[in-house]
Amino acid sequence: MGKIDPRVVKTRKKLRQAFLDLLKTRKLSEMNIKDLTNQAGVTRGTFYLHYRDKDTFVETIMEEIIEDFYDSVINYIEFEGNSEKLIPQIVLDRVFEYIGESPEFFITLLKENDAEEYRMLFSDKLYDYILEHVNYGNSIPVRKMPKELINNFLVFALLGIADAWVVEGKIYANHYMATNVAKLFRSELFIEVGLENFFVSDAE
């Protein structure tokens, strides 16, 4: 594959940043090419050299950021000391660092109806990593649970917590958030605050 022209990279970065900036005040459906090009400081002609239309641009950028997010937050470790068997982990410190840099994207992902297909993409990629994580161990418990149930819980919990953190002005440090969210996902925090028996089922 040939090297991409640096001018192309620069223009795409400008348009991506313009997209993120506009998300502060616009919904996906409200964006238009004029807004994007004005914000990025490029011409409409330049935009059309890179993207067919607004929908293609939005699709490309949304997918690109989701891919970039997982590339940034996933860390592979050895499974039981075997260097030939690597499993992914999500590093929550990196999650809050990434979200803190582009909060509007994740708020859009969580709340906008027009972002549903990208929320599904975000969710599906998460589930792929979950299956990869349990691949060398006992994956039966995860596979027995409906995908939609575990994915919706994890995606909306993570994005919802991140949304509240952003709305409150990110007053807690990334590491503090990461530590406590990790405890939540391991149920440790529920035990610490005495809520381990708060959520119950009639079947129990």
Side-chain angles (χ1 to χ4, degrees):
M1 184 179 294
K3 187 176 179 181
I4 299 177
D5 189 325
R7 292 171 296 180
V8 172
V9 174
K10 185 178 180 180
T11 299
R12 290 179 179 173
K13 280 185 176 180
K14 282 184 177 181
L15 286 166
R16 171 169 162 165
Q17 188 57 53
F19 172 76
L20 291 172
D21 290 340
L22 287 171
L23 283 181
K24 297 174 183 177
T25 56
R26 305 269 205 293
K27 292 183 177 181
L28 291 176
S29 60
E30 295 171 343
M31 281 195 199
N32 57 54
I33 293 173
K34 182 179 179 181
D35 291 335
L36 287 164
T37 54
N38 286 347
Q39 186 71 30
V42 301
T43 65
R44 289 176 68 91
T46 298
F47 176 90
Y48 285 117
L49 283 174
H50 299 273
Y51 304 98
R52 186 173 67 245
D53 51 33
K54 190 202 85 168
D55 291 341
T56 302
F57 169 78
V58 170
E59 179 181 348
T60 301
I61 296 299
M62 293 291 284
E63 291 178 355
E64 180 183 290
I65 294 176
I66 290 171
E67 189 73 33
D68 186 49
F69 169 77
Y70 280 111
D71 286 345
S72 299
V73 306
I74 292 291
N75 181 53
Y76 279 87
I77 62 168
E78 294 179 0
F79 176 73
E80 296 182 347
N82 188 338
S83 61
E84 294 183 1
K85 296 180 178 180
L86 300 178
I87 60 173
Q89 291 181 322
I90 289 183
V91 183
L92 288 167
D93 304 74
R94 298 179 191 173
V95 168
F96 284 97
E97 180 180 356
Y98 196 103
I99 290 175
E101 292 173 354
S102 305
E104 291 77 20
F105 174 83
F106 293 93
I107 292 171
T108 297
L109 200 62
L110 174 66
K111 295 182 176 180
E112 279 200 36
N113 291 334
D114 289 334
E116 183 177 359
E117 66 178 287
Y118 307 111
R119 204 157 48 239
M120 288 296 299
L121 175 62
F122 185 89
S123 177
D124 287 343
K125 288 188 72 65
L126 177 63
Y127 193 71
D128 288 342
Y129 283 116
I130 288 171
L131 293 183
E132 190 178 355
H133 179 82
V134 301
N135 183 46
Y136 296 114
N138 181 10
S139 66
I140 293 175
V142 167
R143 293 182 183 277
K144 277 188 173 181
M145 181 177 289
K147 173 184 174 182
E148 294 77 11
L149 184 59
I150 189 169
N151 266 27
N152 283 340
F153 170 75
L154 292 174
V155 168
F156 283 97
L158 184 59
L159 294 181
I161 290 168
D163 176 45
W165 175 62
V166 170
V167 168
E168 291 295 322
K170 297 183 284 186
I171 58 175
Y172 301 110
N174 295 349
H175 183 66
Y176 177 87
M177 293 298 297
T179 299
N180 284 287
V181 170
K183 287 182 178 180
L184 278 171
F185 284 148
R186 291 196 299 260
S187 299
E188 291 177 19
L189 195 59
F190 281 86
I191 294 170
E192 283 186 14
V193 300
L195 288 176
E196 66 268 29
N197 296 315
F198 182 68
F199 296 98
V200 299
S201 166
D202 285 335
E204 294 176 333

